[in-house]
Amino acid sequence: MNQAEKIMADSGGWIEIGSIDEIPQLGARVVRTADGDIAVFRTADDEIFALRDKCPHKGGPLSQGIVHGKRVACPLHDWKIHLDSGEAVAPDEGCAASFPVKVDGGVIRLLLTPNEGCPNQ
Amino acid sequence: MKEKLVLIGNGMAGVRALEELLKLAPEQYDITVFGAEPYGNYNRILLSPVLAGEKTIDQIMLNDEAWYRDNGITLHKGKTVDEVNRARRLVRAGDGTEAGYDRLIIATGSSPFILPVPGNQLEGVIAFRDIHDVDVMLEMAATKQGKAIVIGGGLLGLEAANGLKKQGMDVTVVHLMDTLMERQLDKPAAALLKASLEEKGLKFLMEAQTEAILGKDRVEAVRFRDGLEIAADLVVMAAGIRPNIELAKKIGLHCERGIIVNDTMQTFDPRIYAVGECVQHRGAVYGLVAPLFEQARVCANHLAHLGIARYEGSLTSTKLKVTGIDLFSAGDFIGDESTQDLVLQDPGRGLYKKVVLSNNRIKGAVMYGDTIDGAWYFELMRDNTDVSDFRDTLLFGQAHLGDSGHGDDNRVAAMADSAEICGCNGVCKGEIVDAITRKNLFTLDDVRAHTKASSSCGSCTGLVEALLAHTLGGDYSQAPGKKPLCGCTEHTHDEIRAAMRDSALKSIPAVQRFFEWKTPDGCSRCRPALNYYLLCQWPGEYIDDAQSRFINERAHANIQKDATYSVIPRMWGGGTTPQELRAIADAAEKYQVKTVHITGGQRIALYGLTKEELPKIWGELNQAGLVSGYAYGKALRTVKTCVGKEWCRFGTQDSTQLGIDLEKMTWGSWTPHKFKMAASGCPRNCAEATIKDFGVVCVDSGYELHVGGNGGVKVRATDLLCHVETPQQVLEYCGAFMQLYREQAHYLERTAPWIERTGLSYVKEKIVEDETGRKRLYERFLHAQQFAQDDPWQARAQGAEAHEFTPIKRVG
Ligand code: SRM
Ligand SMILES: Cc1cc2nc3c(=O)[nH]c(=O)nc-3n(C[C@H](O)[C@H](O)[C@H](O)COP(=O)(O)OP(=O)(O)OC[C@H]3O[C@@H](n4cnc5c(N)ncnc54)[C@H](O)[C@@H]3O)c2cc1C
Ligand code: SF4
Ligand code: FES
């Protein structure tokens, strides 16, 4: 068992990634994993969402986009993605996998297994 | 409980108001619709192509019954309302169906005007207004290829005549006046139109007054005042329309020609709104959909309790939907003693164009044969643009001006479905047409959202608009009212900037609150614009909002398609030194940069760096004195120069040093769009100064200053601003010009379109003629620069904004 696996086993899979203050409001940070980057977003009212950092269009890094409401605008061609579901805003179609996150006392925790329902894992 | 909203009139304006309302406040109302016609909502405009056999009824439905169901709307179709009890707030239809309301919209449209002559009730006498009328005409044409008389040589009459002709009938158009479409065309254009319609086989009887329609049960002939009788199997009354205000009058709403409404589309009973052809607003009634859609938007906004939109009346333009005939008219195209006509006439090509000017502003235009520039003239007219700078070429059209984005109806009609329209997104004609028809798209924005065409560089915008016009037939998408900054607000760039200044709004949330933004925190279009406007308005005071910057400006590097970044340091005036080159070479090696490229802007770009590497490589470049080149910014980019008189045998001034001085003064400045400069040592112009936002061409006697040029999507050569004598003057004029641009252009508007919108004369007035004004602009520019000239790379290399460049966590 390597260190990461050990941490995960100890915590039911929830990984502590940092404090909410480390992400700017209406901004995002990246969690770098062996399976690729996960973008963690913070909205204006401090909701936290996590998506695979890969736009369903051409793989643009969503973490670099402009966050507005519960959406992010992809930096490459301006698709809008729903932060909660990872679905592209209609009429565009596609989705980025979303990951379970929770915040306790300002500490953000993340599961590395994406939610079901999106082929773009 | 939800409020109750009732709509009377299931036509184009009323249903558009509901659509707009559902977008703004989908849950606010329980909606009930009464419509006298037994259908869902259809596109009345397209009855003409249906009659001409170019479209079917199915193809012109806008909202079928499923749409009403899906949106929870109760539709009473085929039910005419004849009673509204305003005290009990109850609407009742002829068959007794009732509905209570909290708010009511009346959108009963118009009724065709039926000439009060004997025989007007005979079978075979019909108007041209709805599906029923078209059905009757088509049936008539199919069973009996007889004779048709169309009374009225206006838009509607000619479209009816064209349709019936195409259905095989023998058609005579009867008109009271001596020219066709006299309200939309002047005599020369009307004569050309008549000639081409005659070529298509239509017959005309001009200056003919209908006296009676003859026949026993069915129409058999029409008699005119002068005694002439013409046999007829079908008579179409297209002699005009009257706002349908019967119901409104009956229930005591104040009406004149139409139902009187205020700027929020409310009638004298504030619970009752009215929109569409039945309405009279500020003395005007409208018979085209563009203004009606604007009314609908305002009405919906008010119903949604947003209350920020106002209807201020519309200018309209006209097109005739007869295939193969191009005509356009708008505004006052006749003119009077105070106006001047510009006329271009080429009978050989069947061309006629007339633009009426007053004080160098367009008052009206009429064109026949070539209408490509109709939309452009219309825009110039609406914006009241001073055209004196291009008056000499105005008649030749926008293409002549070298601007981008105009289309050609006929050209798009002739294109194959596989022809690529949008080169950026690879969208073909077929896809666009398909989306327009299947998804009922009406506007350019709709097409952009659904197909991506025209959503990138925009150079195909004109073609897409032409496709819309061609596919829809109607011309309404080309007459937008004022252009809001983005979908989050109804307000324009200029309105927002003015309020920012006058009401001392100093943050993005403050602006959004002031204008009651529709979204909680804006979108990727408005936030960068607001951030820029605030930065420009409150230098030194406003704190830049990184989260409202596009990634390139937030990270001070250009993002590439693989999510890596490029690094382009400044090379002042295009010059460099062995030390700088060595530092760049060392950095390129150390970070194993994938590509080193000499840019089109006379400097060196390093490609393929990860975000985490950026602060490090910047730090190393900083060591050699290299700073950010802002290749990523809506900001001062490059100042290209040639070697000038230092070396060149033709050089007249030290263009290299001048370029460096310009760059030292202006670097770091944020601008509405990117801003590029160049200085050439002589008129041979090796630095290409005449396609830059600000260009200097050195001459023996001093410096020629040029403005408003760009390469790019559509090349535009600069306009000559003026001639000055000293380098210090060049700097002053340059700073003043940049400041004027910074303060007045819309975000993402480059100097070229900005100058075409405001006119070079305006810029000359501010920069050349008004010395005090120029000096003030220059001072404001220098003041702002105090707060802007900090190398962003240096701060970040030393640790600022570290969160931007590092992952929050690494796992595994
Ligand atoms: C790097 C460079 C190409 C190169 O390798 O040579 C370049 C690269 C890009 N150009 Fe450019 N342009 C570059 C010189 C030019 C030039 C030549 C010049 O400046 O003399 C032009 C034509 C001159 C002009 O601007 O008037 C030019 C006209 C454009 C345009 C069209 C602008 C227009 O008004 O029509 C765009 C599109 C836009 O800005 O919306 C554009 C947009 C872009 C973008 C930013 C596209 C994007 O959004 O990603 C490219 C960024 C790539 C990157 O990450 O670096 N680039 N681009 C050049 C950088 C020059 C520099 O040193 O800063
Ligand atoms: C053949 C033709 C071609 C046209 N071409 C163009 C064009 O190219 N470009 C352009 O801009 N415009 C064009 N127009 C004009 C355009 O169609 C109208 O301006 C537009 O439809 C008016 O919209 P409205 O909602 O006010 O009225 P309508 O669309 O007429 O809707 C009113 C509806 O209310 C119903 N109604 C009336 N009274 C009652 C009542 N008491 N109870 C219940 N229902 C009632 C009517 O039956 C009707 O369905 C054309 C019109 C026609 C007929
Ligand atoms: S660098 Fe400029 S011309 Fe080249 S692909 Fe990018 S935007 Fe187009
Ligand atoms: S990659 Fe995200 S919009 Fe194209």
Side-chain angles (χ1 to χ4, degrees):
Chain A
M1 214 186 255
N2 70 22
Q3 201 201 346
E5 282 164 340
K6 193 157 165 291
I7 298 172
M8 283 171 67
D10 290 349
S11 58
W14 290 97
I15 299 184
E16 186 178 318
I17 59 162
S19 114
I20 191 166
D21 303 329
E22 293 174 67
I23 307 177
Q25 276 187 332
L26 294 173
R29 296 287 298 276
V30 165
V31 175
R32 192 144 288 165
T33 81
D35 296 331
D37 288 356
I38 297 172
V40 185
F41 301 90
R42 176 176 173 194
T43 66
D45 34 22
D46 291 340
E47 280 190 276
I48 301 289
F49 298 99
L51 297 179
R52 172 72 66 212
D53 197 13
K54 251 185 145 172
C55 176
H57 179 221
K58 292 191 174 170
L62 297 174
S63 56
Q64 310 300 302
I66 291 183
V67 177
H68 53 288
K70 282 192 207 182
R71 297 170 176 190
V72 60
C74 175
L76 292 197
H77 316 97
D78 207 33
W79 278 30
K80 314 288 187 303
I81 309 294
H82 289 288
L83 293 178
D84 46 4
S85 62
E87 295 282 346
V89 173
D92 292 322
E93 287 169 17
C95 67
S98 64
F99 293 80
V101 267
K102 59 181 181 187
V103 185
D104 288 319
V107 176
I108 307 172
R109 291 189 176 79
L110 173 73
L111 277 185
L112 291 185
T113 327
N115 292 317
E116 300 278 296
C118 174
N120 179 18
Q121 301 278 313
Chain B
M1 222 180 63
K2 283 196 199 175
E3 291 177 89
K4 284 179 290 198
L5 174 67
V6 172
L7 167 65
I8 305 177
N10 192 26
M12 298 195 72
V15 176
R16 176 50 80 102
L18 296 186
E19 287 175 344
E20 296 278 350
L21 177 62
L22 290 172
K23 272 195 253 166
L24 297 175
E27 298 300 333
Q28 196 168 337
Y29 292 96
D30 260 331
I31 304 175
T32 304
V33 178
F34 287 88
E37 293 185 70
Y39 310 97
N41 170 239
Y42 64 90
N43 189 343
R44 193 172 304 288
I45 294 178
L46 296 185
L47 288 176
S48 297
V50 170
L51 183 63
E54 292 160 1
K55 280 203 157 53
T56 64
I57 293 287
D58 280 349
Q59 286 173 335
I60 71 167
M61 293 312 290
L62 292 174
N63 293 303
D64 55 13
E65 290 174 33
W67 177 83
Y68 293 85
R69 261 201 315 280
D70 294 348
N71 287 289
I73 299 173
T74 310
L75 171 62
H76 295 300
K77 55 177 186 167
K79 294 191 182 176
T80 307
V81 172
D82 54 13
E83 193 62 63
V84 176
N85 185 327
R86 285 167 52 198
R88 293 176 50 213
R89 289 196 251 127
L90 198 65
V91 168
R92 198 171 69 223
D95 71 342
T97 311
E98 289 188 337
Y101 66 85
D102 296 303
R103 309 251 168 173
L104 176 67
I105 309 176
I106 299 185
T108 45
S110 301
S111 317
F113 176 64
I114 304 293
L115 293 185
V117 293
N120 64 8
Q121 302 291 354
L122 289 173
E123 203 182 315
V125 179
I126 192 143
F128 184 23
R129 179 72 193 174
D130 53 26
I131 291 186
H132 169 76
D133 297 332
V134 173
D135 279 345
V136 171
M137 287 191 254
L138 286 176
E139 200 183 293
M140 184 72 201
T143 50
K144 190 159 180 239
Q145 304 268 306
K147 287 175 185 297
I149 291 186
V150 175
I151 300 181
L155 270 177
L156 201 59
L158 296 180
E159 289 184 10
N162 174 62
L164 291 170
K165 178 75 206 155
K166 287 196 130 181
Q167 297 297 341
M169 294 193 81
D170 172 9
V171 185
T172 305
V173 176
V174 174
H175 196 48
L176 194 60
M177 315 299 280
D178 61 346
T179 63
L180 295 175
M181 288 178 62
E182 71 284 349
R183 288 210 315 218
Q184 289 93 8
L185 297 181
D186 65 350
K187 290 196 180 200
L192 283 168
L193 172 65
K194 184 156 168 269
S196 18
L197 290 172
E198 275 165 348
E199 237 167 72
K200 285 176 178 278
L202 292 180
K203 296 180 203 152
F204 291 93
L205 191 62
M206 307 301 283
E207 296 180 85
Q209 203 169 344
T210 309
E211 194 175 69
I213 300 174
L214 311 174
K216 277 208 194 69
D217 311 317
R218 281 201 61 85
V219 52
E220 288 165 17
V222 176
R223 188 174 69 228
F224 299 94
R225 171 71 47 94
D226 61 3
L228 177 71
E229 276 182 26
I230 304 184
D233 304 291
L234 179 72
V235 172
V236 179
M237 294 266 191
I241 53 174
R242 298 282 178 274
N244 183 355
I245 55 175
E246 240 172 274
L247 177 68
K249 261 189 174 153
K250 181 170 162 191
I251 65 174
L253 294 177
H254 180 52
C255 299
E256 287 173 13
R257 273 186 303 151
I259 308 168
I260 306 288
V261 293
N262 64 14
D263 288 359
T264 48
M265 306 314 294
Q266 282 160 302
T267 66
F268 274 54
D269 178 342
R271 286 188 180 274
I272 305 185
Y273 296 74
V275 294
E277 284 184 342
C278 57
V279 159
Q280 178 176 340
H281 172 264
R282 297 192 188 177
V285 296
Y286 297 97
L288 293 169
V289 294
L292 310 186
F293 283 179
E294 256 179 79
Q295 295 176 351
R297 195 159 44 234
V298 172
C299 174
N301 190 285
H302 206 260
L303 282 169
H305 298 319
L306 293 173
I308 41 175
R310 289 262 173 291
Y311 181 64
E312 290 164 351
S314 309
L315 287 172
T316 56
S317 64
T318 303
K319 272 194 169 181
L320 180 71
K321 302 192 298 294
V322 172
T323 316
I325 292 185
D326 285 329
L327 69 79
F328 172 91
S329 83
D332 170 14
F333 51 83
I334 302 289
D336 54 38
E337 316 81 63
S338 72
T339 60
Q340 293 156 334
D341 298 348
L342 308 187
V343 179
L344 185 152
Q345 216 160 353
D346 182 348
R349 288 194 298 150
L351 282 191
Y352 174 76
K353 265 191 181 187
K354 171 166 145 191
V355 176
V356 178
L357 296 180
S358 165
N359 266 330
N360 283 315
R361 325 256 161 187
I362 299 187
K363 292 292 146 200
V366 52
M367 333 170 42
Y368 188 88
D370 173 6
T371 53
I372 300 178
D373 289 301
W376 181 53
Y377 294 141
F378 191 60
E379 209 169 294
L380 293 171
M381 181 171 117
R382 196 188 52 212
D383 296 348
N384 208 19
T385 303
D386 183 339
V387 300
S388 43
D389 306 317
F390 47 99
R391 187 174 160 138
D392 50 344
T393 59
L394 186 66
L395 276 182
F396 301 122
Q398 194 175 18
H400 212 85
L401 211 74
D403 190 15
S404 64
H406 71 74
D408 177 344
D409 243 347
N410 287 327
R411 205 166 86 222
V412 297
M415 277 179 166
D417 276 353
S418 59
E420 186 172 82
I421 301 279
C422 174
C424 293
N425 297 294
V427 190
C428 303
K429 175 186 166 188
E431 284 171 66
I432 299 176
V433 172
D434 191 57
I436 293 173
T437 44
R438 281 198 310 132
K439 299 182 178 152
N440 286 322
L441 309 185
F442 265 108
T443 64
L444 184 62
D445 282 343
D446 291 345
V447 175
R448 283 181 179 151
H450 283 265
T451 68
K452 302 292 169 224
S454 156
S455 62
S456 299
C457 83
S459 70
C460 63
T461 302
L463 282 176
V464 174
E465 279 183 334
L467 267 180
L468 262 166
H470 175 70
T471 312
L472 291 173
D475 186 30
Y476 39 87
S477 71
Q478 288 190 2
K482 49 184 196 181
K483 286 197 179 116
L485 191 149
C486 72
C488 303
T489 176
E490 306 283 339
H491 294 275
T492 63
H493 289 262
D494 293 331
E495 287 167 352
I496 290 166
R497 285 193 101 167
M500 234 175 228
R501 188 183 57 231
D502 299 342
S503 305
L505 308 175
K506 298 195 176 176
S507 71
I508 293 179
V511 176
Q512 292 173 334
R513 267 195 308 275
F514 186 88
F515 283 105
E516 302 185 21
W517 235 241
K518 294 184 219 162
T519 48
D521 34 44
C523 69
S524 52
R525 247 168 92 187
C526 58
R527 285 230 309 272
L530 295 181
N531 190 54
Y532 166 72
Y533 290 151
L534 287 162
L535 206 62
C536 178
Q537 181 64 44
W538 309 112
E541 211 176 323
Y542 176 68
I543 299 168
D544 196 275
D545 177 23
Q547 300 311 325
S548 294
R549 292 259 188 193
F550 180 63
I551 179 62
N552 286 0
E553 294 186 351
R554 195 177 340 128
H556 291 277
N558 296 72
I559 195 165
Q560 303 296 321
K561 64 178 189 180
D562 61 354
T564 65
Y565 291 82
S566 67
V567 167
I568 307 183
R570 212 166 264 300
M571 289 187 166
W572 305 94
T576 183
T577 61
Q579 290 85 334
E580 286 184 351
L581 291 173
R582 202 166 286 124
I584 291 173
D586 288 344
E589 256 176 12
K590 177 161 173 194
Y591 292 91
Q592 296 175 355
V593 159
K594 307 233 169 41
T595 301
V596 181
H597 186 250
I598 307 289
T599 73
Q602 288 191 340
R603 40 201 199 170
I604 295 176
L606 308 177
Y607 283 86
L609 292 135
T610 65
K611 208 176 183 193
E612 287 172 85
E613 288 170 331
L614 291 174
K616 295 179 212 150
I617 193 169
W618 293 340
E620 277 163 51
L621 294 170
N622 275 168
Q623 298 290 311
L626 290 158
V627 296
S628 167
Y630 283 72
Y632 45 78
K634 308 297 173 220
L636 177 86
R637 295 282 179 94
T638 58
V639 182
K640 302 216 282 193
T641 69
C642 70
V643 289
K645 107 172 159 186
E646 284 298 288
W647 294 97
C648 178
R649 65 205 163 104
F650 295 117
T652 61
Q653 311 283 353
D654 189 350
S655 51
T656 325
Q657 189 55 48
L658 182 65
I660 294 170
D661 293 345
L662 281 170
E663 194 161 355
K664 295 262 172 190
M665 176 179 81
T666 54
W667 75 270
S669 174
W670 297 105
T671 41
H673 204 307
K674 57 187 164 193
F675 194 96
K676 299 180 178 180
M677 300 202 249
S680 287
C682 85
R684 287 169 193 76
N685 195 9
C686 298
E688 301 161 340
T690 47
I691 53 159
K692 293 288 171 267
D693 298 279
F694 185 86
V696 185
V697 175
C698 301
V699 288
D700 230 19
S701 59
Y703 306 84
E704 279 178 357
L705 306 185
H706 297 258
V707 294
N710 62 218
V713 178
K714 187 85 187 184
V715 183
R716 182 183 196 273
T718 44
D719 295 311
L720 177 63
L721 182 69
C722 62
H723 175 279
V724 297
E725 276 153 26
T726 67
Q728 180 47 44
Q729 281 174 311
V730 176
L731 293 177
E732 177 176 318
Y733 280 66
C734 170
F737 175 74
M738 268 185 94
Q739 187 64 12
L740 188 69
Y741 170 60
R742 296 178 75 230
E743 290 175 6
Q744 309 228 327
H746 298 165
Y747 191 64
L748 294 189
E749 182 176 46
R750 241 181 125 172
T751 56
W754 169 63
I755 282 186
E756 284 177 6
R757 184 165 62 83
T758 51
L760 177 67
S761 309
Y762 174 81
V763 175
K764 278 188 174 161
E765 196 183 295
K766 297 282 174 195
I767 307 289
V768 185
E769 286 146 31
D770 176 0
E771 189 186 334
T772 335
R774 176 179 69 241
K775 291 202 185 306
R776 293 233 171 88
L777 280 165
Y778 181 51
E779 278 162 23
R780 287 208 290 284
F781 181 76
L782 293 182
H783 174 73
Q785 283 299 81
Q786 288 174 36
F787 310 102
Q789 294 196 321
D790 266 324
D791 176 28
W793 287 0
Q794 190 180 10
R796 284 157 185 78
Q798 292 166 359
E801 312 274 326
H803 65 84
E804 183 66 44
F805 301 95
T806 47
I808 189 169
K809 174 98 179 177
R810 287 166 214 271
V811 190

